[in-house]
Amino acid sequence: MRKAALLSLIFYVAMAVNVAAQENPLAGVIDIHVHAAPDSTPRSIDAISVARMAKARGMHGLVFKSHYEPTASMAYLVRQVVPGLEVFGGIDLNLTVGGMNPSAVEHMADITGSYGRFVWMSTYDSEAQVRYNLENRPFVRVSRNGQLLPETRQVIAVIAKHNLVMATGHNSAEDGLLLIRESRAQGVRHMVVTHAMVAPIHMSVPQMQEAAKMGAYIEFTYNGLIGKSKEFNFADYAKAIRAVGVEHCILSSDMGQPGNPLHPDAMAAFIKGMREQGFSPSEIDQMTKINPASLLGLE
């Protein structure tokens, strides 16, 4: 009888957890890819407003990203206005901060509160992005002839020194693997392949698997499923995630563009779509709560 009662209790607790997750799919979720105003690019919502919305929806945290200026100060200020939410920022190594600039990363890491955690290794000014867009303008190199540049290695050394997150940005799949390999060699503990499947990265499944084996998380963004940036459907993402393994994957919004859903709504829709692809509540939790928390050192 005692065993039967215990099994019954476990069943009802599991059911209650499942119902709670369905009622509030955003409880405990961390979105590591949040664009918000103020920015030099038009945004659908400001940082304080989206943080208030995330907290009201039960989310655990946000990472603010700007392509052109550091967001560590933004994270500090948002935390003062919206306490109880884990808010972080970082620096994107585009031309506006000097490209592969270790001094800029050092400064970002020292901003009050130490909430600058991410270092994106150039995005819209990356060589891969500029070439993909067929633009004739300066760009930021991370490598030459299959070898990382000295300044790239110096940036990685700063990331390791401050225990920051190395995010591969909009660099090519090949450069992404070079960055991960060097980061691992220098002792970087937290790495993520920025929206691995979308342009201009277009990592193959074997490349994503290689990155995961070296300790990097693979990011899948809702932005790749909708609007002007749509390249894939939920089934495409699901197939890749199954091949890589949910323990290596992170779901994020990459929202903030006018006309697209707001970040919490996008995350809720993303979770719903992945549930419809057969992912269990525990697998969704792994990709939206556990893995992002590990990446940010919150575990």
Side-chain angles (χ1 to χ4, degrees), residues 24-29 31 34-36 44-62 64 78 81-85 87 253 255-256 260-268:
N24 183 13
L26 295 181
V29 166
D31 186 355
V34 176
H35 293 288
S44 57
I45 191 171
D46 67 76
I48 291 172
S49 296
V50 72
R52 284 174 170 158
M53 182 182 296
K55 183 178 179 181
R57 299 281 288 275
M59 293 180 67
H60 187 192
L62 304 173
F64 286 113
V78 170
V81 180
V82 190
L85 186 70
V87 181
S253 73
M255 289 288 100
N260 277 343
L262 296 178
H263 313 72
D265 295 330
M267 289 301 295

Side-chain angles (χ1 to χ4, degrees), residues 1 12 30 42-43 80 97 141 145 244 281 290:
M1 288 296 291
Y12 283 112
I30 299 171
R43 295 302 178 196
Q80 307 312 301
V97 297
R141 288 185 185 273
N145 299 324
V244 175
I290 297 169

Side-chain angles (χ1 to χ4, degrees), residues 47-294:
I48 291 172
S49 296
V50 72
R52 284 174 170 158
M53 182 182 296
K55 183 178 179 181
R57 299 281 288 275
M59 293 180 67
H60 187 192
L62 304 173
V63 178
F64 286 113
K65 178 181 180 183
S66 169
H67 291 290
Y68 301 115
E69 66 176 53
T71 52
S73 298
M74 177 188 285
Y76 175 85
L77 292 171
V78 170
R79 280 174 176 258
Q80 307 312 301
V81 180
V82 190
L85 186 70
E86 294 284 3
V87 181
F88 298 96
I91 188 170
D92 197 329
L93 297 180
N94 286 314
L95 293 171
T96 48
V97 297
M100 288 294 110
N101 183 352
S103 295
V105 179
E106 284 275 10
H107 175 76
M108 187 278 300
D110 289 337
I111 292 294
T112 306
S114 298
Y115 301 125
R117 292 287 177 85
F118 268 63
V119 180
W120 292 276
M121 305 292 273
S122 75
T123 54
Y124 280 126
D125 289 338
S126 72
E127 180 176 6
Q129 186 72 68
V130 170
R131 293 191 186 284
Y132 180 83
N133 292 345
L134 303 178
E135 296 172 331
N136 182 21
R137 65 179 181 88
F139 53 74
V140 178
R141 288 185 185 273
V142 298
S143 71
R144 183 178 282 108
N145 299 324
Q147 299 292 321
L148 293 181
L149 298 173
E151 54 266 36
T152 306
R153 297 177 191 274
Q154 291 167 13
V155 164
I156 291 172
V158 178
I159 293 172
K161 172 185 172 183
H162 292 283
N163 196 26
L164 304 175
V165 175
M166 192 287 293
T168 56
H170 292 194
N171 291 288
S172 69
E174 293 75 17
D175 276 347
L177 293 174
L178 287 177
L179 290 165
I180 293 164
R181 193 171 294 113
E182 177 64 20
S183 295
R184 185 181 183 187
Q186 291 202 39
V188 174
R189 295 173 51 202
H190 307 290
M191 302 177 288
V192 61
V193 180
T194 306
H195 45 50
M197 286 182 66
V198 305
I201 301 101
H202 289 157
M203 262 199 179
S204 66
V205 167
Q207 287 173 322
M208 287 188 276
Q209 291 171 328
E210 183 179 351
K213 286 179 182 177
M214 289 191 285
Y217 286 109
I218 313 301
E219 181 190 31
F220 293 83
T221 57
Y222 190 63
N223 195 22
L225 300 175
I226 63 166
K228 296 179 181 179
S229 298
K230 177 177 170 58
E231 293 186 72
F232 302 99
N233 57 40
F234 283 104
D236 297 323
Y237 274 12
K239 183 177 179 181
I241 290 169
R242 288 296 186 202
V244 175
V246 296
E247 67 274 19
H248 303 297
C249 297
I250 290 175
L251 308 184
S252 69
S253 73
D254 190 8
M255 289 288 100
Q257 307 80 14
N260 277 343
L262 296 178
H263 313 72
D265 295 330
M267 289 301 295
F270 203 174
I271 289 168
K272 180 177 182 292
M274 299 312 284
R275 287 291 304 274
E276 291 171 352
Q277 290 297 316
F279 289 94
S280 68
S282 63
E283 289 175 319
I284 298 293
D285 285 353
Q286 184 79 45
M287 296 186 287
T288 61
K289 302 176 187 179
I290 297 169
N291 293 347
S294 176

Side-chain angles (χ1 to χ4, degrees), residues 8-24:
S8 179
L9 177 61
I10 292 171
F11 172 78
Y12 283 112
V13 168
M15 287 294 292
V17 170
N18 188 43
V19 169
Q22 292 178 349
E23 290 177 350
N24 183 13

